[in-house]
Amino acid sequence: MRSHFSLFRLIALSALFAMSPVCLAQEEAADLTDVRLVIDVSGSMKRNDPNNLRQPAVELLVELLPEESRAGVWTFGKWVNMLIPHREVNSPWRDTARAEAKKINSVGLFTNIGAALEKAAYDISYVDKNQRKNIILLTDGMVDIDKQPEANRAEWRRIVDEVIPKLKQAGYTIHTIALSKNADRDLMNKISVATDGVADIAYSAEDLMKIFLKAFDAAVPAEQVSLDNNRFVIDSSVEEFTALIFRRDPLEQTRLSSPDNQLWDSGSETSDVRWHRTDRYDLITVKRPLEGTWIVEADMEPDSRVTVVSNLNLRVRPLPNNVLKGAVLDIDAYLQEDGQTITDADFLSLMSVDARLLGGADYTSLVELWQEDMARDSSRFVSTLPPLDKEGVYQVRVFVDGKTFTREYKRQITLRQAFSADVREEFGEGRLNYVLTVNAYTDNVNFDKTQVVATIVNPDKRRIIRPLALSELDSWLVTIQPDLEGEYRAVIQVKGESLDGDDFVYTLDELSFNYSIDGGLVSAKPEFEEVLPEEPEPEPEPTPTPEATAEPAVVEEPKEVPVAESGSPFPDWVIYVALGVGNLILLLVGFLAYKKIMGGGEKDVMSELDEAEREETAPDAPEPESELESEIEPEEETDEDEEEPPMEDLDPDAPSPEPAELIEPEEEPEILDAMEEEIPMLEPEADTEPDDVADLAGLDEDDVALDVGLDEIDDLDAMAMEESEEEVVEDESEEDDDMVTAMLKAQGLDLAEEELDDAISSLIDDLEDDERDSDEDKEAPA
């Protein structure tokens, strides 16, 4: 029987080979960089790159390539042409490359991606473990080698089944850039993920430069110094630095201020300063720079940076370009001087090394998610990143502050799920269609035995279950037609079999997209919450003591009570107040007495009627509580049943049983059935135990049967009881009214309601006048 397994393990074994320690060790030991640019020059580029920004992008990479690395440039349409020879990078090679880069155009007829990759990997049979072979592929279209669709599909299949596995086996890392949303992104992702390269999309030609640069950073990691607030520090170990400054204003003149306050610009080029200016950026290379703080005078964009050539280097064990959801990565950093790892404990103790993690839906929306001081383990600084759980782009940064020098390392990582899903626009049959597309990021899936189902919830919360059909290009597709504006959510489940014969089930993260008539269907990007430094909670302010208070509270001294002339120790107004309060208290006591008499009388009348009714209807019935308790011993509790009272106690006309007579066990079913028919109101709810029925009714167990047995009698005599109750209550009310009236008359309060209100108001006014006269007498001079 096939075993279920985690698809994370499947992908880790097949697609993310870069996480293998062996591969990491090979990458770490590689010293030589090999970069090969493959540029699409098909006719469609006239539409997607009208300003031919591919030329300045290639020129930028030519300038950034380090000395002694190897590089070459190929262009392709239907045919593949080596534009710049693949050789060692030096001054003559740069001169040739600058001249040839101007020949990049858009005149090709087809898009022969497979042949271009094979031509760039002309030395595929030669393996050099000391070289990192990188191919950067830029295209705006799909596999297009013929006018016949069948030929193009066959070529697509050949690339996936033959070309990619060979390049992967030979150790090539392929970074892909799609210069159009209409490019075959699925193929680009397959190529990059299989070889652990970077896959990105430039939605406009203006984004091409920065996307190209990120692919170059992945292929050629460069050591950087921190550039903060337009300032950077150069130490004595730096032999050369290169500042790449992207300007916000294309017309602005960038200037560079050295530590000795000398200003440099694009017109002050010398033997030690090389300044390359375009309409978008300045590339400044300074050899043998002065030690100290340098200042860039320009309005820079965030992607600007300064790289250095030094014999004091920060090395970080290479991280993969692609990881799966939930991956946990370790950072291992160390310092080298002249190629040797620094082990001096005193020197390393002066280092302050921290790691940071930024994340976002794409590289333009990165926010800081995590920061930690790296722990020193002998000669290395180590840290573990938090689990990555949101699909998107992450950037790992390691920063070293050595007091007299700084170094910075940056690495971009793309987090993917084992299967991806998105919604795309397609025109067909004269209308715009939306296609839900699912792709696999692994080659260890048996596509013919894998099924995909989507559960879509529309804005009205109505669920629609749609199976996805497998296309010839290894994608699962289904067309959706939104009919309501608002938010749509899709939960996608994949169930299938790997090439090894193991079953798997995988559920993708919920996909959310919004539909509007004007904007169409737009997928919602995952939100990354920025982690801000915690602010210390403010300490509670101490409660001021009387000694610490600036102005002590004024405490009024008690006033002396004047003695009346009549010889009484209290003034007249106090006596009036006492009399009024006493009358009010008597009135309240009378009211409470009235309520108590009325309530108690009602209870007594109801009790008497109930007792009389019981004596009338069942004069010969025995007292059930005493007899049942004395004659019937409680049995042990069974699963659900409890001891029930005999049915004779429920029937007032039945003869009384003998005290010693017990119910036979075989008669219990009939008796229980009769009880269920007679007293259905005692049946408990589904979640109520039978033992709790008496508790719910507010009765003792032995009272349940008796009270229910009297229900019919109570119903028959209800009217008589009500009439008797009314007569008794009416008589009692008359007596109580007479008593209350007598009490009020005794206190002089037998007034009408309005007269009583007037009397109380007059009393209060008299009291206030007396108090005012008393205060005036006290304030008068002696």
Side-chain angles (χ1 to χ4, degrees):
M1 184 176 179
R2 298 187 182 94
S3 60
H4 290 272
F5 67 100
S6 170
L7 205 56
F8 290 128
R9 184 177 63 182
L10 183 153
I11 307 297
L13 294 175
S14 60
L16 301 182
F17 67 93
M19 297 181 65
S20 168
V22 176
C23 290
L24 289 177
Q26 291 177 354
E27 289 189 26
E28 192 171 12
D31 295 325
L32 299 179
T33 300
D34 190 333
V35 181
R36 310 175 189 200
L37 306 180
V38 180
I39 310 298
D40 187 350
V41 293
S42 62
S44 59
M45 280 291 186
K46 294 179 180 178
R47 178 178 64 255
N48 294 315
D49 184 17
N51 297 321
N52 201 4
L53 296 180
R54 289 161 292 166
Q55 287 186 9
V58 171
E59 291 174 357
L60 174 61
L61 268 60
V62 168
E63 300 295 335
L64 291 176
L65 281 167
E67 295 285 340
E68 298 181 356
S69 61
R70 295 179 63 86
V73 180
W74 285 260
T75 59
F76 70 96
K78 181 177 182 179
W79 312 108
V80 182
N81 175 45
M82 180 183 284
L83 182 65
I84 302 173
H86 180 240
R87 296 175 183 171
E88 182 179 331
V89 175
N90 50 33
S91 294
W93 184 90
R94 293 184 198 275
D95 294 337
T96 302
R98 294 188 191 103
E100 295 297 324
K102 300 183 184 300
K103 297 180 181 180
I104 296 176
N105 52 41
S106 306
V107 297
L109 296 178
F110 292 98
T111 307
N112 199 345
I113 296 175
L117 292 174
E118 290 175 319
K119 290 289 185 179
Y122 67 95
D123 57 349
I124 192 171
S125 59
Y126 175 73
V127 178
D128 187 351
K129 295 184 179 180
N130 292 326
Q131 282 189 332
R132 293 190 295 264
K133 296 181 179 180
N134 294 270
I135 297 176
I136 300 178
L137 171 65
L138 170 63
T139 181
D140 72 335
M142 307 176 70
V143 174
D144 181 18
I145 63 170
D146 196 279
K147 294 181 179 180
Q148 299 299 323
E150 294 79 6
N152 295 326
R153 286 194 293 268
E155 175 64 10
W156 189 96
R157 178 56 58 188
R158 186 185 76 85
I159 294 173
V160 172
D161 296 341
E162 299 179 15
V163 178
I164 295 178
K166 289 180 180 179
L167 293 172
K168 176 181 176 180
Q169 183 66 29
Y172 284 88
T173 301
I174 306 175
H175 313 279
T176 60
I177 302 174
L179 186 56
S180 170
K181 64 180 182 179
N182 296 321
D184 192 344
R185 291 175 287 170
D186 299 335
L187 179 61
M188 300 296 104
N189 283 323
K190 278 183 175 291
I191 294 172
S192 294
V193 172
T195 61
D196 193 38
V198 172
D200 218 329
I201 303 175
Y203 290 98
S204 66
E206 287 70 22
D207 296 334
L208 177 60
M209 185 75 68
K210 296 177 182 179
I211 297 291
F212 225 123
L213 184 60
K214 295 197 176 293
F216 179 81
D217 287 341
V220 189
E223 193 157 18
Q224 302 182 22
V225 295
S226 178
L227 177 59
D228 293 325
N229 297 322
N230 289 37
R231 297 169 180 265
F232 61 94
V233 177
I234 296 298
D235 59 88
S236 58
S237 67
V238 175
E239 302 171 2
E240 175 182 301
F241 74 76
T242 299
L244 176 60
I245 309 300
F246 289 101
R247 303 186 308 273
R248 297 184 187 274
D249 183 2
L251 301 178
E252 182 183 15
Q253 179 65 48
T254 302
R255 296 196 300 177
L256 186 63
S257 175
S258 62
D260 59 355
N261 295 324
Q262 184 176 356
L263 288 177
W264 304 79
D265 58 30
S266 59
S268 54
E269 188 168 335
T270 67
S271 59
D272 289 337
V273 179
R274 187 173 70 249
W275 197 299
H276 179 68
R277 176 183 171 86
T278 70
D279 59 346
R280 296 180 179 275
Y281 64 87
D282 290 275
L283 186 64
I284 312 160
T285 302
V286 179
K287 295 182 179 180
R288 297 182 294 273
L290 290 177
E291 180 181 354
T293 301
W294 292 68
I295 303 174
V296 179
E297 297 182 4
D299 186 10
M300 302 185 305
E301 292 188 356
D303 291 317
S304 302
R305 76 270 187 84
V306 178
T307 59
V308 296
V309 176
S310 171
N311 64 343
L312 180 60
N313 310 112
L314 169 64
R315 303 298 188 193
V316 179
R317 186 182 183 188
L319 297 172
N321 291 311
N322 301 277
V323 297
L324 289 176
K325 180 180 178 181
V328 178
L329 302 177
D330 295 326
I331 305 177
D332 184 359
Y334 55 96
L335 292 170
Q336 282 188 341
E337 185 175 19
D338 295 328
Q340 300 297 321
T341 301
I342 298 175
T343 59
D344 187 349
D346 294 335
F347 176 81
L348 295 176
S349 64
L350 300 175
M351 302 298 104
S352 176
V353 184
D354 70 76
R356 301 183 183 187
L357 179 67
L358 292 81
D362 51 46
Y363 76 95
T364 63
S365 59
L366 298 178
V367 297
E368 185 170 320
L369 307 176
W370 171 86
Q371 180 180 359
E372 180 179 88
D373 292 335
M374 299 183 67
R376 185 163 69 90
D377 182 9
S378 184
S379 61
R380 294 178 176 262
F381 297 87
V382 296
S383 186
T384 300
L385 294 175
L388 310 181
D389 57 358
K390 286 188 179 181
E391 193 171 7
V393 176
Y394 293 82
Q395 186 180 80
V396 178
R397 294 182 181 178
V398 178
F399 178 75
V400 177
D401 183 1
K403 306 303 183 288
T404 60
F405 71 96
T406 62
R407 294 292 184 271
E408 189 172 25
Y409 166 88
K410 296 181 181 180
R411 180 72 167 187
Q412 179 173 306
I413 297 174
T414 301
L415 175 67
R416 303 178 185 275
Q417 298 186 77
F419 292 83
S420 70
D422 61 352
V423 178
R424 304 174 184 177
E425 297 180 351
E426 290 186 3
F427 286 92
E429 299 179 357
R431 64 178 180 177
L432 178 64
N433 297 316
Y434 298 98
V435 180
L436 178 60
T437 306
V438 175
N439 289 283
Y441 283 133
T442 176
D443 53 3
N444 193 15
V445 172
N446 189 332
F447 289 90
D448 294 332
K449 294 186 178 181
T450 299
Q451 298 177 338
V452 181
V453 176
T455 302
I456 303 173
V457 181
N458 71 359
D460 283 348
K461 310 302 180 184
R462 186 167 60 93
R463 295 178 179 270
I464 305 172
I465 299 177
R466 301 291 301 275
L468 281 71
L470 180 64
S471 70
E472 296 179 349
L473 304 181
D474 295 347
S475 297
W476 290 272
L477 311 172
V478 65
T479 301
I480 56 178
Q481 291 294 340
D483 53 353
L484 298 173
E485 290 188 314
E487 182 186 21
Y488 289 77
R489 294 180 289 109
V491 176
I492 301 170
Q493 189 174 60
V494 183
K495 182 178 181 180
E497 183 179 294
S498 71
L499 296 178
D500 301 329
D502 295 321
D503 297 333
F504 66 86
V505 176
Y506 188 87
T507 302
L508 280 71
D509 291 344
E510 183 179 83
L511 181 66
S512 177
F513 43 90
N514 294 290
Y515 173 72
S516 63
I517 297 177
D518 298 331
L521 204 59
V522 180
S523 298
K525 296 182 179 180
E527 296 182 358
F528 289 76
E529 296 182 1
E530 183 174 5
V531 178
L532 300 176
E534 297 183 359
E535 297 182 359
E537 296 183 0
E539 296 183 0
E541 297 181 0
T543 304
T545 59
E547 293 77 12
T549 306
E551 296 181 1
V554 178
V555 180
E556 295 183 358
E557 297 181 358
K559 299 178 180 180
E560 296 182 0
V561 179
V563 181
E565 296 180 358
S566 61
S568 174
F570 300 101
D572 295 340
W573 68 271
V574 174
I575 298 174
Y576 295 149
V577 171
L579 291 174
V581 171
N583 290 332
L584 292 175
I585 292 175
L586 290 175
L587 181 62
L588 179 61
V589 171
F591 176 75
L592 293 176
Y594 169 76
K595 295 292 291 184
K596 182 174 181 61
I597 292 171
M598 290 298 296
E602 181 179 358
K603 179 177 179 181
D604 295 337
V605 171
M606 294 298 295
S607 300
E608 291 176 1
L609 286 175
D610 189 47
E611 291 176 3
E613 202 106 28
R614 289 172 185 264
E615 292 175 358
E616 246 181 56
T617 54
D620 299 331
E623 295 182 1
E625 291 187 8
S626 59
E627 290 197 13
L628 286 176
E629 290 176 359
S630 61
E631 299 294 336
I632 302 178
E633 297 181 359
E635 298 179 357
E636 295 183 1
E637 295 183 0
T638 58
D639 294 341
E640 292 185 357
D641 297 333
E642 232 186 342
E643 180 185 9
E644 299 286 351
M647 279 297 297
E648 289 81 2
D649 293 339
L650 301 177
D651 189 357
D653 298 331
S656 303
E658 295 296 331
E661 184 178 355
L662 301 178
I663 300 175
E664 295 297 329
E666 57 270 12
E667 297 178 3
E668 285 186 8
E670 297 180 0
I671 295 174
L672 292 176
D673 293 341
M675 290 179 63
E676 291 177 357
E677 294 178 2
E678 291 291 328
I679 49 173
M681 69 290 294
L682 289 181
E683 293 183 3
E685 296 181 357
D687 56 348
T688 305
E689 294 295 332
D691 298 345
D692 298 334
V693 174
D695 295 337
L696 293 175
L699 303 173
D700 295 334
E701 293 181 2
D702 297 326
D703 293 337
V704 173
L706 293 177
D707 288 343
V708 175
L710 296 174
D711 283 348
E712 294 182 0
I713 300 174
D714 293 340
D715 294 339
L716 294 174
D717 299 334
M719 295 180 62
M721 292 174 61
E722 291 177 359
E723 291 176 359
S724 300
E725 178 182 354
E726 292 176 357
E727 294 174 359
V728 174
V729 171
E730 183 177 355
D731 296 340
E732 194 70 31
S733 300
E734 292 177 357
E735 295 177 2
D736 293 335
D737 291 342
D738 295 340
M739 183 182 67
V740 173
T741 302
M743 292 175 61
L744 295 175
K745 184 175 181 181
Q747 298 296 327
L749 298 175
D750 54 339
L751 303 174
E753 182 176 357
E754 295 181 357
E755 295 176 347
L756 183 60
D757 290 340
D758 293 339
I760 294 174
S761 299
S762 300
L763 178 61
I764 293 174
D765 292 339
D766 293 340
L767 293 176
E768 291 178 351
D769 293 340
D770 293 340
E771 183 177 3
R772 190 180 303 109
D773 296 340
S774 176
D775 292 340
E776 291 176 356
D777 294 340
K778 181 178 180 180
E779 294 176 358

